[in-house]
Coordinates of all heavy atoms in Angstrom, one line a residue:
A1 N 17.5 -22.9 9.3 CA 17.1 -21.6 8.8 C 15.7 -21.7 8.2 O 15.3 -22.8 7.8 CB 18.1 -21.0 7.8
K2 N 15.0 -20.6 8.1 CA 13.6 -20.5 7.6 C 13.8 -19.5 6.4 O 14.5 -18.6 6.3 CB 12.7 -19.8 8.4 CG 12.5 -20.6 9.8 CD 11.4 -21.5 9.6 CE 10.9 -22.0 11.1 NZ 10.6 -23.4 11.1
F3 N 13.0 -20.0 5.3 CA 12.9 -19.2 4.1 C 11.5 -18.8 4.0 O 10.5 -19.6 4.3 CB 13.4 -20.0 2.9 CG 14.7 -20.4 3.0 CD1 15.2 -21.6 3.8 CD2 15.8 -19.6 2.5 CE1 16.6 -22.0 3.9 CE2 17.3 -19.9 2.6 CZ 17.4 -21.1 3.3
T4 N 11.2 -17.7 3.3 CA 9.8 -17.3 3.0 C 9.5 -16.6 1.7 O 10.5 -15.9 1.2 CB 9.2 -16.4 4.2 OG1 7.8 -16.1 4.1 CG2 10.0 -15.1 4.2
L5 N 8.4 -16.8 1.2 CA 7.9 -15.9 0.1 C 6.3 -15.8 0.2 O 5.8 -16.6 0.9 CB 8.4 -16.4 -1.3 CG 8.3 -17.8 -1.6 CD1 7.0 -18.4 -1.7 CD2 8.8 -17.9 -3.1
V6 N 5.7 -15.0 -0.6 CA 4.4 -14.8 -0.8 C 3.9 -15.5 -2.1 O 4.6 -15.4 -3.1 CB 4.0 -13.3 -0.8 CG1 2.4 -13.2 -1.0 CG2 4.3 -12.6 0.5
D7 N 2.7 -16.1 -2.0 CA 2.2 -16.7 -3.2 C 1.3 -15.5 -3.8 O 0.2 -15.3 -3.3 CB 1.2 -17.9 -3.1 CG 0.8 -18.5 -4.4 OD1 0.7 -17.8 -5.3 OD2 0.3 -19.6 -4.1
P8 N 1.8 -14.8 -4.8 CA 1.1 -13.8 -5.3 C -0.4 -14.1 -6.0 O -1.3 -13.3 -6.3 CB 1.9 -13.1 -6.3 CG 2.9 -14.2 -6.8 CD 2.9 -15.1 -5.6
E9 N -0.5 -15.5 -6.3 CA -1.7 -15.9 -6.9 C -2.9 -16.0 -5.9 O -4.1 -15.9 -6.3 CB -1.5 -17.4 -7.5 CG -0.5 -17.4 -8.4 CD -0.9 -16.8 -9.8 OE1 -2.1 -16.7 -10.2 OE2 0.1 -16.1 -10.5
T10 N -2.6 -16.1 -4.7 CA -3.6 -16.1 -3.6 C -3.7 -15.0 -2.6 O -4.6 -14.7 -2.0 CB -3.5 -17.5 -2.7 OG1 -2.1 -17.4 -2.1 CG2 -3.5 -18.7 -3.7
C11 N -2.7 -14.1 -2.7 CA -2.6 -12.8 -1.9 C -3.8 -12.0 -2.4 O -4.0 -11.8 -3.6 CB -1.3 -12.1 -2.0 SG -1.4 -10.5 -1.3
I12 N -4.6 -11.5 -1.4 CA -5.7 -10.6 -1.7 C -5.4 -9.2 -1.4 O -6.3 -8.4 -1.2 CB -7.1 -11.1 -1.0 CG1 -6.9 -11.2 0.5 CG2 -7.5 -12.5 -1.6 CD1 -8.2 -11.5 1.3
A13 N -4.2 -8.9 -1.1 CA -3.7 -7.5 -0.7 C -4.4 -7.0 0.5 O -4.9 -5.8 0.6 CB -4.0 -6.6 -1.9
C14 N -4.6 -7.9 1.6 CA -5.2 -7.4 2.7 C -4.4 -6.6 3.6 O -4.8 -5.7 4.4 CB -5.7 -8.7 3.6 SG -4.3 -9.2 4.7
G15 N -3.1 -6.5 3.4 CA -2.1 -5.6 4.1 C -1.7 -6.0 5.5 O -1.0 -5.1 6.1
A16 N -2.0 -7.3 5.9 CA -1.6 -7.6 7.3 C -0.2 -7.9 7.5 O 0.4 -7.6 8.5 CB -2.5 -8.7 7.8
C17 N 0.4 -8.6 6.4 CA 1.8 -9.0 6.7 C 2.8 -7.9 6.8 O 3.8 -8.1 7.5 CB 2.1 -10.0 5.6 SG 1.9 -9.4 3.8
G18 N 2.6 -6.9 6.0 CA 3.6 -5.8 6.1 C 3.5 -5.0 7.5 O 4.5 -4.5 7.9
A19 N 2.3 -5.1 8.0 CA 2.2 -4.5 9.4 C 2.8 -5.4 10.4 O 3.4 -4.9 11.4 CB 0.6 -4.2 9.7
A20 N 2.6 -6.7 10.3 CA 3.3 -7.6 11.3 C 4.7 -7.7 11.1 O 5.5 -7.9 12.1 CB 2.6 -8.9 11.2
A21 N 5.2 -7.7 10.0 CA 6.6 -7.8 9.7 C 7.1 -7.0 8.6 O 7.4 -7.4 7.4 CB 6.9 -9.4 9.1
P22 N 7.2 -5.7 8.9 CA 7.6 -4.7 8.0 C 9.0 -4.8 7.4 O 9.3 -4.3 6.3 CB 7.6 -3.4 8.7 CG 7.5 -3.7 10.1 CD 7.0 -5.1 10.3
D23 N 9.9 -5.5 8.1 CA 11.2 -5.7 7.6 C 11.3 -6.9 6.6 O 12.3 -7.1 5.9 CB 12.2 -6.0 8.7 CG 12.5 -4.8 9.6 OD1 12.3 -3.6 9.0 OD2 12.7 -5.1 10.7
I24 N 10.2 -7.6 6.5 CA 10.2 -8.7 5.5 C 9.2 -8.5 4.4 O 9.6 -8.7 3.2 CB 9.7 -10.1 6.3 CG1 10.6 -10.4 7.5 CG2 9.8 -11.3 5.3 CD1 10.1 -11.5 8.3
F25 N 8.1 -8.0 4.7 CA 7.0 -7.9 3.6 C 6.8 -6.4 3.2 O 6.7 -5.7 4.0 CB 5.7 -8.6 4.0 CG 5.9 -10.1 4.2 CD1 6.0 -10.5 5.6 CD2 6.3 -10.9 3.2 CE1 6.1 -11.8 5.8 CE2 6.5 -12.3 3.5 CZ 6.4 -12.7 4.8
D26 N 6.6 -6.4 1.8 CA 6.2 -5.0 1.3 C 5.2 -5.2 0.3 O 4.9 -6.5 -0.1 CB 7.4 -4.3 0.6 CG 7.2 -2.9 0.4 OD1 6.2 -2.4 0.8 OD2 8.2 -2.2 0.1
Y27 N 4.6 -4.3 -0.5 CA 3.6 -4.5 -1.4 C 3.8 -3.9 -2.7 O 4.6 -2.8 -2.8 CB 2.2 -3.9 -0.8 CG 2.0 -4.2 0.6 CD1 2.2 -3.3 1.5 CD2 1.5 -5.5 0.9 CE1 1.8 -3.7 2.9 CE2 1.2 -5.9 2.1 CZ 1.4 -5.0 3.2 OH 1.2 -5.3 4.5
D28 N 3.4 -4.5 -3.8 CA 3.6 -3.8 -5.1 C 2.6 -2.7 -5.3 O 1.7 -2.4 -4.5 CB 3.7 -5.0 -6.3 CG 2.3 -5.5 -6.6 OD1 1.3 -5.0 -6.0 OD2 2.3 -6.5 -7.2
D29 N 2.5 -2.2 -6.6 CA 1.6 -1.1 -7.0 C 0.1 -1.4 -6.6 O -0.7 -0.6 -6.5 CB 1.7 -0.6 -8.3 CG 3.1 0.0 -8.5 OD1 3.7 0.4 -7.4 OD2 3.5 0.3 -9.6
E30 N -0.2 -2.8 -6.8 CA -1.5 -3.3 -6.5 C -1.8 -3.8 -5.3 O -2.9 -4.3 -4.9 CB -1.8 -4.3 -7.6 CG -2.0 -3.6 -9.0 CD -2.0 -4.5 -10.2 OE1 -1.6 -5.7 -9.9 OE2 -2.1 -4.1 -11.3
G31 N -0.8 -3.6 -4.3 CA -1.1 -4.0 -3.0 C -0.8 -5.6 -2.7 O -0.9 -6.1 -1.6
I32 N -0.3 -6.3 -3.6 CA 0.1 -7.7 -3.6 C 1.5 -7.6 -2.9 O 2.4 -6.9 -3.2 CB 0.1 -8.4 -5.0 CG1 -1.1 -8.1 -5.7 CG2 0.6 -9.8 -4.8 CD1 -2.4 -8.8 -5.0
A33 N 1.5 -8.6 -1.9 CA 2.6 -8.6 -0.9 C 3.8 -9.4 -1.7 O 3.6 -10.3 -2.5 CB 2.3 -9.2 0.3
F34 N 5.0 -9.0 -1.2 CA 6.2 -9.9 -1.6 C 7.3 -9.7 -0.5 O 7.2 -8.9 0.3 CB 6.8 -9.3 -3.0 CG 7.3 -7.9 -2.9 CD1 8.7 -7.7 -2.7 CD2 6.4 -6.9 -3.2 CE1 9.2 -6.4 -2.6 CE2 7.0 -5.6 -3.2 CZ 8.2 -5.4 -2.9
S35 N 8.2 -10.7 -0.6 CA 9.3 -10.5 0.5 C 10.4 -9.6 -0.1 O 10.8 -9.8 -1.2 CB 9.9 -12.0 0.7 OG 11.1 -11.9 1.4
R36 N 10.6 -8.6 0.8 CA 11.6 -7.7 0.4 C 13.1 -8.4 0.6 O 14.2 -7.7 0.2 CB 11.7 -6.5 1.2 CG 10.4 -6.3 1.9 CD 10.5 -5.2 3.2 NE 11.5 -4.3 2.9 CZ 11.5 -3.0 3.4 NH1 10.4 -2.5 3.9 NH2 12.5 -2.3 3.2
L37 N 13.1 -9.4 1.2 CA 14.6 -10.0 1.6 C 15.2 -10.4 0.2 O 16.4 -10.3 0.2 CB 14.4 -11.3 2.4 CG 13.7 -11.1 3.8 CD1 13.6 -12.5 4.4 CD2 14.5 -10.1 4.6
D38 N 14.5 -10.9 -0.8 CA 15.1 -11.4 -2.0 C 14.2 -11.3 -3.1 O 14.2 -12.2 -4.0 CB 15.6 -12.8 -1.8 CG 14.4 -13.6 -1.1 OD1 13.3 -13.4 -1.4 OD2 14.8 -14.7 -0.6
N39 N 13.4 -10.2 -3.1 CA 12.5 -10.0 -4.2 C 11.5 -11.1 -4.4 O 11.3 -11.6 -5.5 CB 13.1 -9.7 -5.6 CG 12.2 -9.0 -6.6 OD1 11.2 -8.4 -6.2 ND2 12.5 -9.1 -7.9
N40 N 11.1 -11.7 -3.3 CA 10.1 -12.9 -3.3 C 10.6 -14.1 -3.9 O 9.8 -14.9 -4.4 CB 8.8 -12.4 -3.9 CG 7.6 -13.1 -3.3 OD1 7.5 -13.1 -2.1 ND2 6.7 -13.7 -4.1
Q41 N 11.9 -14.3 -3.8 CA 12.4 -15.5 -4.3 C 12.6 -16.7 -3.2 O 12.6 -17.9 -3.7 CB 13.8 -15.4 -5.0 CG 13.9 -14.5 -6.2 CD 13.0 -15.0 -7.2 OE1 13.3 -16.0 -7.8 NE2 11.9 -14.3 -7.5
G42 N 12.3 -16.3 -2.0 CA 12.4 -17.4 -1.0 C 13.9 -18.0 -0.9 O 13.9 -19.2 -0.6
I43 N 14.9 -17.3 -1.1 CA 16.3 -18.0 -1.2 C 17.1 -17.4 -0.2 O 18.2 -17.9 0.1 CB 16.9 -17.8 -2.5 CG1 17.0 -16.4 -2.9 CG2 16.1 -18.7 -3.6 CD1 17.7 -16.2 -4.3
T44 N 16.7 -16.3 0.5 CA 17.6 -15.6 1.6 C 17.0 -16.1 3.0 O 15.9 -15.9 3.3 CB 17.5 -14.2 1.5 OG1 17.9 -13.8 0.2 CG2 18.3 -13.4 2.6
P45 N 17.9 -16.7 3.8 CA 17.4 -17.2 5.2 C 16.9 -15.9 6.0 O 17.5 -14.8 5.9 CB 18.7 -17.6 5.8 CG 19.6 -17.9 4.8 CD 19.3 -17.0 3.6
V46 N 15.8 -16.1 6.6 CA 15.3 -15.2 7.5 C 16.1 -15.1 8.8 O 16.3 -16.0 9.4 CB 13.7 -15.4 7.8 CG1 13.2 -14.4 8.8 CG2 12.9 -15.6 6.6
S47 N 16.5 -13.9 9.1 CA 17.4 -13.7 10.2 C 16.6 -14.1 11.6 O 15.4 -13.9 11.6 CB 17.9 -12.3 10.4 OG 17.0 -11.4 10.8
F48 N 17.3 -14.6 12.5 CA 16.8 -14.9 13.8 C 15.9 -13.8 14.4 O 14.8 -14.1 15.0 CB 17.9 -15.4 14.7 CG 17.3 -15.9 16.0 CD1 16.8 -17.2 16.2 CD2 17.4 -15.1 17.3 CE1 16.2 -17.6 17.5 CE2 16.9 -15.4 18.4 CZ 16.4 -16.8 18.5
Q49 N 16.4 -12.7 14.3 CA 15.8 -11.5 14.8 C 14.3 -11.3 14.3 O 13.5 -10.6 15.0 CB 16.5 -10.2 14.6 CG 17.8 -10.1 15.5 CD 19.0 -10.8 14.7 OE1 18.8 -11.5 13.9 NE2 20.2 -10.2 15.0
L50 N 14.1 -11.8 13.1 CA 12.8 -11.6 12.5 C 11.8 -12.8 12.6 O 10.8 -12.8 11.9 CB 13.0 -11.2 10.9 CG 13.8 -9.8 10.7 CD1 13.9 -9.6 9.2 CD2 13.0 -8.7 11.3
K51 N 12.3 -13.7 13.3 CA 11.5 -15.0 13.2 C 10.2 -14.9 13.9 O 9.1 -15.3 13.3 CB 12.3 -16.0 14.0 CG 11.9 -17.4 14.0 CD 13.0 -18.3 14.6 CE 12.5 -19.5 15.5 NZ 11.7 -19.1 16.6
D52 N 10.0 -14.0 15.0 CA 8.7 -13.8 15.5 C 7.7 -13.0 14.6 O 6.6 -13.4 14.5 CB 8.8 -13.2 16.9 CG 9.4 -14.1 17.9 OD1 9.5 -15.3 17.7 OD2 9.8 -13.5 19.1
D53 N 8.4 -12.0 14.0 CA 7.5 -11.3 13.1 C 7.0 -12.0 11.8 O 5.9 -12.0 11.5 CB 8.4 -10.2 12.4 CG 8.5 -9.0 13.4 OD1 8.1 -9.0 14.5 OD2 9.2 -8.0 12.9
L54 N 7.8 -13.0 11.5 CA 7.5 -13.9 10.4 C 6.2 -14.8 10.7 O 5.3 -15.0 10.1 CB 8.6 -14.7 9.9 CG 8.4 -15.7 8.9 CD1 7.9 -15.1 7.6 CD2 9.6 -16.7 8.6
E55 N 6.4 -15.4 11.9 CA 5.4 -16.3 12.5 C 4.0 -15.4 12.7 O 3.0 -15.9 12.2 CB 5.6 -16.9 13.8 CG 6.7 -18.0 13.5 CD 7.4 -18.6 14.8 OE1 6.7 -18.3 15.9 OE2 8.3 -19.3 14.8
D56 N 4.1 -14.3 13.1 CA 2.9 -13.5 13.2 C 2.2 -13.0 11.8 O 1.0 -13.2 11.8 CB 3.3 -12.1 14.0 CG 3.6 -12.3 15.3 OD1 3.3 -13.2 16.0 OD2 4.2 -11.3 16.0
A57 N 3.1 -12.7 10.9 CA 2.6 -12.5 9.6 C 1.9 -13.8 9.0 O 0.8 -13.7 8.4 CB 3.7 -12.0 8.7
C58 N 2.5 -14.8 9.2 CA 2.0 -16.1 8.6 C 0.7 -16.4 9.2 O -0.2 -16.8 8.5 CB 3.1 -17.2 8.7 SG 2.6 -18.8 8.0
E59 N 0.6 -16.3 10.5 CA -0.6 -16.7 11.2 C -1.8 -15.6 10.8 O -2.9 -16.0 10.9 CB -0.3 -16.7 12.7 CG 0.4 -17.9 13.2 CD 0.9 -17.9 14.5 OE1 0.4 -17.0 15.4 OE2 1.8 -18.7 15.0
G60 N -1.4 -14.5 10.5 CA -2.3 -13.3 10.4 C -2.9 -13.4 8.8 O -3.8 -12.6 8.6
C61 N -2.2 -14.0 8.0 CA -2.7 -13.9 6.7 C -3.9 -14.7 6.5 O -4.0 -16.0 6.6 CB -1.5 -14.4 5.7 SG -2.1 -14.4 3.9
P62 N -5.0 -14.0 6.0 CA -6.3 -14.7 5.9 C -6.4 -15.8 4.7 O -7.3 -16.6 4.7 CB -7.4 -13.6 5.6 CG -6.4 -12.5 4.8 CD -5.1 -12.6 5.6
T63 N -5.4 -15.7 3.8 CA -5.6 -16.6 2.7 C -4.3 -17.6 2.7 O -4.0 -18.3 1.7 CB -5.5 -15.9 1.3 OG1 -4.2 -15.0 1.3 CG2 -6.8 -15.0 1.2
E64 N -3.5 -17.6 3.8 CA -2.4 -18.6 3.8 C -1.5 -18.4 2.7 O -0.9 -19.4 2.2 CB -2.9 -20.0 4.0 CG -3.6 -20.3 5.2 CD -4.2 -21.7 5.5 OE1 -3.8 -22.5 4.6 OE2 -4.8 -22.0 6.6
S65 N -1.3 -17.2 2.3 CA -0.3 -17.0 1.1 C 1.1 -16.8 1.6 O 1.9 -16.8 0.6 CB -0.8 -15.6 0.5 OG -2.1 -15.7 0.0
I66 N 1.4 -16.7 2.8 CA 2.7 -16.6 3.2 C 3.4 -18.0 3.5 O 2.9 -18.7 4.3 CB 3.0 -15.8 4.5 CG1 2.6 -14.3 4.1 CG2 4.4 -15.7 5.0 CD1 2.4 -13.4 5.4
K67 N 4.3 -18.3 2.6 CA 4.9 -19.7 2.7 C 6.3 -19.7 3.5 O 6.9 -18.7 3.3 CB 5.1 -20.1 1.2 CG 4.0 -20.1 0.2 CD 2.7 -20.9 0.8 CE 1.5 -20.7 -0.1 NZ 0.4 -21.4 0.4
I68 N 6.3 -20.7 4.3 CA 7.6 -20.8 5.1 C 8.1 -22.2 4.9 O 7.4 -23.2 4.9 CB 7.4 -20.5 6.5 CG1 6.8 -19.1 6.7 CG2 8.6 -20.7 7.4 CD1 6.4 -18.8 8.2
A69 N 9.4 -22.3 4.7 CA 10.0 -23.7 4.6 C 11.4 -23.6 5.1 O 12.0 -22.6 5.4 CB 10.1 -24.0 3.1
E70 N 12.0 -24.8 5.4 CA 13.3 -24.9 6.0 C 14.3 -24.9 4.8 O 15.6 -24.9 5.1 CB 13.5 -26.3 6.8 CG 12.4 -26.6 7.7 CD 12.7 -25.9 9.1 OE1 13.8 -25.7 9.3 OE2 11.8 -25.7 9.9
Q71 N 13.9 -25.0 3.6 CA 14.8 -25.0 2.5 C 14.3 -23.8 1.5 O 13.2 -23.5 1.4 CB 14.8 -26.4 1.8 CG 15.4 -27.4 2.6 CD 15.3 -28.8 2.0 OE1 15.2 -28.9 0.8 NE2 15.0 -29.8 2.8
P72 N 15.3 -23.5 0.6 CA 15.0 -22.3 -0.3 C 13.9 -22.7 -1.3 O 13.7 -23.8 -1.7 CB 16.3 -22.0 -1.0 CG 17.4 -22.7 -0.2 CD 16.7 -23.8 0.6
F73 N 13.0 -21.8 -1.7 CA 11.9 -21.9 -2.5 C 12.3 -21.8 -4.1 O 11.6 -22.2 -4.9 CB 10.9 -20.9 -2.4 CG 10.0 -21.2 -1.0 CD1 10.4 -20.7 0.2 CD2 8.9 -22.0 -1.1 CE1 9.5 -21.0 1.3 CE2 8.1 -22.2 0.0 CZ 8.5 -21.8 1.2
E74 N 13.4 -21.1 -4.2 CA 13.9 -20.9 -5.6 C 12.8 -20.2 -6.3 O 12.7 -20.5 -7.7 CB 14.3 -22.2 -6.3 CG 15.2 -23.2 -5.5 CD 16.6 -22.6 -5.3 OE1 16.9 -21.4 -5.8 OE2 17.3 -23.3 -4.5
G75 N 12.0 -19.3 -5.8 CA 11.0 -18.5 -6.5 C 9.7 -19.3 -6.8 O 8.8 -18.7 -7.3
D76 N 9.5 -20.5 -6.3 CA 8.4 -21.2 -6.5 C 7.5 -21.4 -5.3 O 7.8 -22.3 -4.5 CB 8.6 -22.6 -7.2 CG 7.5 -23.4 -7.4 OD1 6.4 -22.9 -7.2 OD2 7.7 -24.6 -7.8
P77 N 6.3 -20.7 -5.1 CA 5.7 -20.8 -3.9 C 5.0 -22.2 -3.6 O 4.7 -22.8 -2.5 CB 4.4 -19.9 -4.2 CG 4.9 -18.9 -5.2 CD 5.8 -19.7 -6.1
D78 N 4.8 -23.0 -4.8 CA 4.3 -24.4 -4.6 C 5.4 -25.5 -4.5 O 5.1 -26.6 -4.6 CB 3.5 -24.7 -5.9 CG 2.4 -23.8 -6.0 OD1 1.8 -23.3 -5.0 OD2 1.9 -23.5 -7.2
K79 N 6.6 -25.0 -4.3 CA 7.7 -26.0 -4.3 C 7.5 -27.1 -3.3 O 8.0 -28.3 -3.6 CB 9.1 -25.3 -4.1 CG 10.2 -26.2 -4.1 CD 11.5 -25.5 -4.3 CE 12.7 -26.4 -4.6 NZ 13.8 -25.9 -4.3
F80 N 7.0 -26.8 -2.2 CA 7.0 -27.9 -1.1 C 5.6 -28.4 -0.8 O 5.3 -29.0 0.1 CB 7.5 -27.4 0.2 CG 9.0 -26.9 0.0 CD1 9.3 -25.5 0.1 CD2 10.0 -27.8 -0.3 CE1 10.6 -25.0 -0.1 CE2 11.3 -27.4 -0.6 CZ 11.6 -26.0 -0.4
L81 N 4.7 -28.2 -1.9 CA 3.3 -28.7 -1.9 C 3.3 -30.2 -1.9 O 4.1 -30.8 -2.8 CB 2.3 -28.0 -2.7 CG 2.0 -26.6 -2.5 CD1 1.0 -26.1 -3.3 CD2 1.5 -26.5 -1.0
Ligands
LIG101 FE1 -1.5 -10.8 1.0 FE2 -1.8 -12.4 3.1 FE3 -0.1 -10.3 3.2 S1 -3.4 -11.8 1.8 S2 -1.0 -8.8 1.8 S3 0.1 -12.1 1.9 S4 -1.4 -10.9 4.9

């Protein structure tokens, strides 16, 4: 399974991820993205149906703020650095 979250420290609110993967990413009042799957905790497996959207969003992010891992992030974007 894949897990994902956004690093809000590096997101520049460009808005690409929600367009590529609207079922995964949404934005807060300031346009900073987060994963709607689990309030950006990175603990809910991304469903198989959303895998391509996730890859598109990750590749399209200009600041590499979308993190993907094979294990849960437990809310920490830097967990697997
Ligand atoms: Fe932010 Fe990257 Fe999405 S900059 S709005 S996480 S595409």
